[in-house]
Amino acid sequence: MKKRIRPGIRRAFTTAAAVMIGGSSTVLACPVCFGAAETSMIDGAKLGVLVMLAITLAVQGGFVGFFLYLRKRAKHVADVELDTEWSKLQRSPRTS
């Protein structure tokens, strides 16, 4: 009896064989992926990463600054309310 190979497995082996035979290292890797360190694409990618980091840090710094401002303002309002309440207590005479 003759064994039949499933069509899916046959197709996978055929594709793998075609890639192994037809594909070479110059086709599979561009200069950036292959490791050429002197290209302008790598310099641009590095600069892009730095710009994205700078933008992220600026936005996070803005949030931190905003929350510090809110904390300072809340403390100031609490101090003013405490002073107002204390002055009202000092002015009112005690009645027994």
Side-chain angles (χ1 to χ4, degrees):
M1 283 202 155
K2 190 175 174 184
K3 279 189 166 179
R4 274 190 69 163
I5 298 175
R6 286 192 250 172
I9 295 175
R10 182 184 295 171
R11 187 176 305 140
F13 280 126
T14 306
T15 304
V19 168
M20 294 292 275
I21 293 169
S24 66
S25 64
T26 58
V27 174
L28 296 177
C30 65
V32 173
C33 301
F34 195 65
E38 278 81 37
T39 63
S40 62
M41 286 183 70
I42 291 179
D43 294 336
K46 287 179 182 177
L47 184 62
V49 168
L50 290 176
V51 168
M52 286 190 292
L53 281 172
I55 290 171
T56 303
L57 290 176
V59 169
Q60 287 179 348
F63 277 116
V64 169
F66 177 67
F67 286 118
L68 290 176
Y69 165 75
L70 288 178
R71 186 177 104 186
K72 181 180 174 184
R73 184 169 176 199
K75 186 177 179 183
H76 176 71
V77 167
D79 288 344
V80 168
E81 287 178 358
L82 183 64
D83 288 342
T84 304
E85 184 179 351
W86 181 251
S87 65
K88 284 181 184 178
L89 287 173
Q90 293 296 321
R91 279 186 264 149
S92 65
R94 288 191 161 179
T95 56
S96 302

